[in-house]
Amino acid sequence: MLQRELMRTAPAVDVLAVLDALSRADVQRWLAGGWGVDALLGLQTRRHLDIDVVLAWDDGVEERAKLAMAELGYRPLSDEVHPDGRPMPVRWVMDDGLVVVDLLPVDLTRWPFAALLSRHTNGERAATATAAVSADPMLDDCGTIDGHLVPCLPLRLQLVVHQGYPTRKSDRHDVALLEELLVRRRRSP
């Protein structure tokens, strides 16, 4: 199993294909994890073993997301639930034989994802909240991969979701990059 894991990698072209397929399936999604960090930075800093995508939970999201992934050749590998207070307690793992995608459905009305809801909800009240959020560069939720704009979990939210579980070397690498980016953005006018 270790040898198989060492051979796996999740290239940028697959990240873009997954995000596009989910968008066509009308799934609100944000890139998270290592690719989410690298997209916020605008450059790939390490090899990625998987693609983590946060999904806005709604009644049909599981069916739409899994169908979109199946159209790309992915099949369900496992469904996991962690009722231990994690911000992302559900994980649907998809696999195409070479690339693993973790689909992470979340309730946008609950902490820490409510800021995403205020940015992606229609209405006057949401527009006011969105204006306040948009003024904060720490909550910018756009990144780039190979010159393509991609939706990402915002910087502060990336830091939150990188906590509360046993960290690996790659997690510590990602958090260090996020903290450096946080310092740079605070210094920007």
Side-chain angles (χ1 to χ4, degrees):
M1 183 68 166
L2 181 60
Q3 182 65 21
R4 183 174 179 199
E5 292 302 315
L6 290 175
M7 293 179 358
R8 287 184 182 249
T9 188
V13 66
D14 288 359
V15 177
L16 297 172
V18 165
L19 292 173
D20 286 344
L22 292 170
S23 177
R24 286 191 306 275
D26 196 30
V27 174
Q28 280 186 286
R29 75 275 178 257
W30 296 269
L31 199 52
W35 268 117
V37 172
D38 281 359
L40 288 174
L41 292 167
L43 64 119
Q44 186 173 349
T45 64
R46 65 176 177 84
R47 185 172 73 99
H48 299 281
L49 300 178
D50 65 358
I51 303 167
D52 300 306
V53 185
V54 170
L55 311 176
W57 178 263
D58 65 46
D59 286 337
V61 74
E62 182 173 9
E63 182 180 343
R64 292 191 319 274
K66 287 183 176 179
L67 182 58
M69 297 301 293
E71 290 173 0
L72 291 178
Y74 288 86
R75 65 186 184 287
L77 192 58
S78 67
D79 290 352
E80 302 171 9
V81 177
H82 302 278
D84 59 3
R86 294 180 191 189
M88 299 178 295
V90 176
R91 180 170 82 148
W92 303 322
V93 182
M94 308 294 292
D95 182 299
D96 74 350
L98 294 174
V99 175
V100 173
V101 177
D102 292 344
L103 299 175
L104 306 158
V106 300
D107 180 349
L108 295 183
T109 65
R110 301 194 61 186
W111 180 90
F113 299 100
L116 290 175
L117 180 64
S118 68
R119 290 187 63 120
H120 298 279
T121 304
N122 294 326
E124 187 176 317
R125 185 169 170 225
T128 304
T130 300
V133 170
S134 297
D136 186 343
M138 305 310 169
L139 293 174
D140 183 18
D141 62 354
C142 242
T144 57
I145 294 179
D146 287 348
H148 299 271
L149 284 176
V150 295
C152 297
L153 284 187
L155 173 56
R156 286 185 180 161
L157 195 46
Q158 285 275 9
L159 283 166
V160 169
V161 300
H162 272 87
Q163 300 172 13
Y165 61 90
T167 59
R168 304 162 297 182
K169 183 178 179 181
S170 60
D171 297 314
R172 291 186 295 276
H173 166 86
D174 291 346
V175 168
L177 290 173
L178 288 168
E179 289 173 345
E180 288 175 26
L181 184 57
L182 182 64
V183 168
R184 284 199 314 263
R185 286 188 177 178
R186 281 185 177 153
R187 289 182 184 156
S188 303

